[in-house]
Amino acid sequence: MSTSPRVVGVCGSLRDGSHTRTAIERALAEAGSFGGSTQLVDLRAYELPVFDPDNREAGDANRLKETLRESDSIILGSPMYHGSYAAPLKNAMDYCGFDEFEETTVGLLGVSGGRFPTTTLEHLRSVCRAVNAWVLPHQAAIPAASDKVDDGEIVDEEIEKRVAILGQRVVEYANIQPDPPTFQSEENVGADD
Ligand SMILES: Cc1cc2nc3c(=O)[nH]c(=O)nc-3n(C[C@H](O)[C@H](O)[C@H](O)COP(=O)(O)O)c2cc1C
């Protein structure tokens, strides 16, 4: 078991002054205070052309994949775009797969300009399930983000707490046990009759 879990936060917004990036940084700071070693993956610093399955190692894809593969926990943060999550994060995730996410703890963060970013979080959760990640039940959401984040800080106390707890949880559950071996269900013995 790693003594200092490696926690990586991936920001789905490329915007300068992104509220999502601010929140991920807050969660990573909390992860650090709970003993994690942390790294922000700022997708602005990665050259990632629109994913083409015929060119899976384009640009900085290998650098991204290596960083994610070496992590114990990943925080995926995205703005809500048209009721879902943002294309830069989807594109980054399409370069990745089981090797990067299987048996990796994932914490989710959604940020929106208006209503609660429920579908952003749900869509991210589905994608994580498809690559066998361990997605934490606790998730953080920042609706009406321009009222809640100001000058690089979360100014809403409740939301700040939820984001901080996300950082705490990704450290606490960084080394969660993988699935136990499957067993024959006693209750299912009649299924072959
Ligand atoms: C293309 C686009 C689509 C958006 N769609 C929604 C939406 O469906 N619902 C919503 O509440 N906000 C929507 N927003 C607002 C963003 O979620 C909001 O500005 C958020 O703070 C952006 O995240 P960032 O600050 O990390 O860049 C949209 C913004 C853009 C640019």
Side-chain angles (χ1 to χ4, degrees):
M1 180 166 158
S2 168
T3 48
S4 180
R6 286 155 299 188
V7 180
V8 171
V10 186
C11 179
S13 173
L14 306 184
R15 193 172 73 81
D16 286 342
S18 158
H19 300 322
T20 309
R21 197 175 308 115
T22 293
I24 290 176
E25 282 169 343
R26 176 66 191 92
L28 289 176
E30 193 71 4
S33 74
F34 276 83
S37 64
T38 66
Q39 181 183 348
L40 173 70
V41 168
D42 184 341
L43 293 175
R44 293 177 303 176
Y46 289 73
E47 190 209 330
L48 290 174
V50 173
F51 178 69
D52 173 355
D54 287 333
N55 191 11
R56 292 165 186 262
E57 301 195 347
D60 292 323
N62 285 340
R63 177 161 69 99
L64 173 74
K65 287 191 278 187
E66 196 180 320
T67 300
L68 296 183
R69 266 201 308 273
E70 287 174 357
S71 66
D72 298 300
S73 289
I74 300 172
I75 296 171
L76 294 177
S78 179
M80 178 182 242
Y81 277 2
H82 304 316
S84 187
Y85 68 102
L89 184 55
K90 172 67 173 149
N91 191 46
M93 291 193 69
D94 284 345
Y95 278 99
C96 302
F98 293 109
D99 287 349
E100 288 70 35
F101 281 94
E102 197 157 44
E103 294 175 14
T104 301
T105 301
V106 172
L108 301 178
L109 171 78
V111 176
S112 60
R115 65 190 168 87
F116 207 87
T118 308
T119 45
T120 305
L121 293 164
E122 283 175 354
H123 295 178
L124 278 171
R125 194 169 282 273
S126 294
V127 171
C128 289
R129 172 64 192 86
V131 289
N132 270 358
W134 283 83
V135 190
L136 294 170
H138 179 89
Q139 56 191 14
I142 310 184
S146 56
D147 297 339
K148 311 280 176 17
V149 183
D150 188 31
D151 205 15
E153 265 187 65
I154 302 171
V155 293
D156 181 294
E157 205 178 313
E158 282 292 303
I159 285 177
E160 197 271 341
K161 197 169 160 196
R162 281 199 72 88
V163 171
I165 290 171
L166 188 71
Q168 177 183 340
R169 294 282 186 268
V170 290
V171 173
E172 286 173 343
Y173 294 99
N175 294 297
I176 195 162
Q177 288 286 312
D179 281 329
T182 53
F183 55 90
Q184 193 89 35
S185 167
E186 293 288 327
E187 288 166 23
N188 213 17
V189 286
D192 291 337
D193 291 350

